[in-house]
Amino acid sequence: MTHSPATQQYREKQAGDLQPGDFVFPPGDGPAEEIAAVEVQNDDYGVAALLLVTMVDGGTVRIATGSSVPVGDGVPADSGADSSASDSSADAALNATTASESGHSRTSTPAEGDAQARAGAAVVVPPRPETPPTYTGPTAEELALIPEPDGTPEGVVRAAAANHKGKNGVQVLAERLAKGINTKSGSCLRDLSDLAFDLCIVLRDPDHALAVADLLNVLPFDGNLDRWASIERALALSSFICREAGQSERAAVYEKLLRAPESQEEDPFKARINARVRQRSLNEPNLYDKEIFRAIDNGNREAEREWRFLRLEALMFLRAHGGSKTIGEEELARRIGNELESVRA
């Protein structure tokens, strides 16, 4: 006897995780049907958007990639001969009714059903979307390569600014931070990352810049992207400083910390989609070419310098992330050197 999905034993499953052999409840009140093939259809940007699921009986169901669908236990198609004639007739009638309501074709005769089953079995199942690389955070031994701050965070800031008296930008940031550093404040984190960049890029003081950046580098990702942007900047800068100083092991720790949030998505399908979007952004980074050329054409040197500073940050992030498929590590190092000369000129 056939029961509706509401009265049958079923569970939810992400559409992106469906595989041939799974039993999915199609639209309507029909029983769970076995999947013969799953075809992934991309949108115009190359991202998986729609799944065309072909059943063993030849019927098809279209499912959006982000959907959750009811799946359950069923009887494989080759064991259907053991069912009674009355149950088979009832199932066939119900399948035909479901097909007419959902707008998809269903078998109407045993001969057509056999032909469509053979056709469905011949469909080549495309590979699942590329699984994102799994990045794990650094171990306790690796984290030990990051030294503890020498005194309080406020003391670290004051010590860094003490070597650059008369530099207004650094002194303003240091005075504001010396009143008290709140790591839960997004503006405070931004001031710390700005101070680290000014010390390293403008004042050429990488040692104090790294000490200030380490106040941010040990903070975990809490899901707040605005706060994480400042920490991410500090990690990319720290990786650059250490690689320039020949401290490759310590640089690798910062790079692991920078990539750690990418492995925190628990849903496999969302993780794969996020990885594809992330790889696209790495392959086609925004390096502010239009803005820089516009500032050059207008003769606005200050605006050009600010846009080049943002380009330098983007290049440092790409290098700390491991480069991309379009810009290799050697090319990134060359471009970073060019931007450093332009910003410091």
Side-chain angles (χ1 to χ4, degrees):
M1 182 176 179
T2 303
H3 301 279
S4 69
T7 60
Q8 298 185 59
Q9 190 69 26
Y10 75 96
R11 60 188 182 280
E12 296 285 331
K13 189 171 186 178
Q14 285 291 326
D17 294 327
L18 292 175
Q19 297 179 344
D22 289 343
F23 285 81
V24 62
F25 291 101
D29 293 332
E33 296 185 22
E34 185 179 4
I35 296 177
V38 179
E39 178 183 353
V40 181
Q41 298 180 348
N42 295 339
D43 61 14
D44 292 340
Y45 293 95
V47 178
L50 192 68
L51 300 179
L52 183 62
V53 178
T54 304
M55 305 303 180
V56 170
D57 68 353
T60 58
V61 177
R62 295 176 299 169
I63 308 173
T65 54
S67 300
S68 295
V69 295
V71 297
D73 299 323
V75 180
D78 57 3
S79 63
D82 297 334
S83 303
S84 64
S86 58
D87 287 343
S88 299
S89 301
D91 289 345
L94 186 54
N95 288 341
T97 303
T98 304
S100 63
E101 293 175 351
S102 59
H104 300 296
S105 62
R106 286 289 187 269
T107 58
S108 58
T109 66
E112 293 176 356
D114 292 341
Q116 292 179 357
R118 288 192 297 271
V123 175
V124 177
V125 180
R128 291 162 61 84
E130 182 178 345
T131 302
T134 302
Y135 295 111
T136 57
T139 64
E141 291 77 11
E142 291 174 325
L143 286 174
L145 295 175
I146 302 177
E148 294 288 334
D150 187 10
T152 64
E154 293 79 8
V156 172
V157 169
R158 283 192 290 266
N163 290 347
H164 304 284
K165 295 181 179 179
K167 302 298 181 180
N168 290 337
V170 169
Q171 294 301 324
V172 169
L173 288 172
E175 289 177 7
R176 190 157 61 222
L177 290 167
K179 297 177 181 177
I181 295 177
N182 178 12
T183 57
K184 295 188 179 297
S185 168
S187 60
C188 182
L189 299 186
R190 183 69 186 191
D191 286 344
L192 281 171
S193 65
D194 285 344
L195 177 59
F197 264 90
D198 284 349
L199 288 169
C200 177
I201 306 302
V202 180
L203 301 178
R204 308 187 188 209
D205 185 358
D207 293 336
H208 283 104
L210 189 57
V212 172
D214 277 341
L215 300 176
L216 294 171
N217 294 334
V218 295
L219 299 178
F221 176 65
D222 62 357
N224 188 319
L225 296 179
D226 290 335
R227 294 179 69 254
W228 178 249
S230 299
I231 301 172
E232 194 175 64
R233 291 177 74 218
L235 288 167
L237 177 67
S238 301
S239 170
F240 167 76
I241 293 173
C242 289
R243 291 207 174 275
E244 291 296 304
Q247 303 178 37
S248 57
E249 291 184 357
R250 185 173 174 182
V253 176
Y254 294 125
E255 291 159 9
K256 282 188 176 182
L257 289 170
L258 183 144
R259 296 190 297 260
E262 299 172 7
S263 61
Q264 293 185 8
E265 176 58 62
E266 297 180 355
D267 185 282
F269 180 76
K270 290 182 180 179
R272 290 195 296 270
I273 295 300
N274 291 344
R276 294 186 65 172
V277 174
R278 182 167 53 251
Q279 188 61 52
R280 186 190 305 154
S281 67
L282 293 172
N283 294 341
E284 303 173 5
N286 181 10
L287 298 179
Y288 307 99
D289 294 330
K290 293 181 180 179
E291 293 81 359
I292 292 173
F293 290 142
R294 187 181 301 115
I296 294 174
D297 292 339
N298 295 334
N300 190 338
R301 173 57 184 162
E302 186 60 29
E304 179 192 348
R305 182 175 180 275
E306 292 178 359
W307 287 117
R308 286 189 179 277
F309 210 104
L310 291 175
R311 175 192 274 179
L312 178 60
E313 292 181 19
L315 291 170
M316 285 183 175
F317 170 80
L318 284 173
R319 187 182 184 188
H321 200 280
S324 69
K325 295 179 179 178
T326 56
I327 308 178
E329 189 169 343
E330 292 184 1
E331 175 65 13
L332 283 172
R334 185 190 68 81
R335 293 193 185 190
I336 288 174
N338 291 341
E339 295 307 318
L340 277 173
E341 292 181 6
S342 299
V343 170
R344 289 171 171 172

